[in-house]
Amino acid sequence: NVFAATEGSSPAGFSVERLQQMSLLTARIAKQIMSDPKEAETAFTAGLLHDIGKIILVLTAPEKFSAAIAGAAESGRPGYELEREMLGASHAEVGGFLLGVWGLPLPIVEAVAYHHVLPATPRPRMDTVLGIHVASALAGQVLAAQAGAPVQDHLDLVALEAAGVTGELPRWREV
């Protein structure tokens, strides 16, 4: 079990249980919002793996990762921004790199790498990368609300508009 590797070494502010909840919820949402059944399966897999970079950061740089988590909680800034500042890369980029080295399919690698910050090139349609971006943002909102924490909206509305799917947001939020 990959999560067992972090037992006893988790930095302050990191929860294996929350990571598991986030991964599963992201995967389920992603599968439901994708219209193409094959792409829905790919998105489900990418959703399960989208935060794998956090495990790498817990195991390789626990103090800096903990500082990024604390800094995000104090400032209200997204954790991935502080990770990039303190570690040189975010968990999304680290996870995408790892999955690329492992030889996973490019749509999964890209979805993991870009789940917070989409590539500059607009997505012409709802693909796995955009699906994981949406699913991760919505899952984060659900878990924050359940925990009584501030709910932040990190959706790239410009990218959703470019893909012609902004009208789907109300339905996706219900999912």
Side-chain angles (χ1 to χ4, degrees):
N1 181 339
V2 73
F3 296 111
T6 63
E7 286 183 19
S9 65
S10 293
F14 177 78
S15 164
V16 171
E17 293 79 18
R18 187 175 191 296
L19 178 72
Q20 289 173 318
Q21 288 177 327
M22 181 68 173
S23 297
L24 190 54
L25 184 56
T26 298
R28 287 179 175 163
I29 293 170
K31 187 174 184 176
Q32 290 182 8
I33 67 174
M34 301 302 294
S35 57
D36 177 271
K38 184 176 180 190
E39 211 157 17
E41 291 302 320
T42 301
F44 184 83
T45 301
L48 288 176
L49 297 171
H50 84 285
D51 275 343
I52 193 167
K54 289 183 177 182
I55 295 172
I56 302 306
L57 296 179
V58 164
L59 296 174
T60 61
E63 297 84 17
K64 287 184 179 181
F65 185 52
S66 182
I69 293 169
E74 290 171 14
S75 69
R77 290 178 57 203
Y80 63 86
E81 288 180 0
L82 289 154
E83 292 164 7
R84 193 174 293 123
E85 289 173 13
M86 295 178 174
L87 297 154
S90 73
H91 69 273
E93 295 155 345
V94 169
F97 178 79
L98 174 69
L99 297 180
V101 169
W102 285 353
L104 268 72
L106 188 58
I108 294 173
V109 171
E110 288 182 330
V112 169
Y114 297 118
H115 72 269
H116 288 298
V117 180
L118 293 167
T121 307
R123 317 301 298 177
R125 64 180 185 82
M126 183 66 168
D127 63 0
T128 301
V129 173
L130 194 53
I132 295 303
H133 170 72
V134 170
S136 174
L138 294 179
Q141 291 173 7
V142 168
L143 294 177
Q146 287 176 352
V151 175
Q152 298 178 346
D153 191 353
H154 296 291
L155 285 170
D156 186 334
L157 297 177
V158 172
L160 294 175
E161 188 172 322
V165 295
T166 50
E168 295 292 322
L169 263 176
R171 183 179 67 80
W172 293 342
R173 288 187 193 283
E174 288 179 20
V175 166

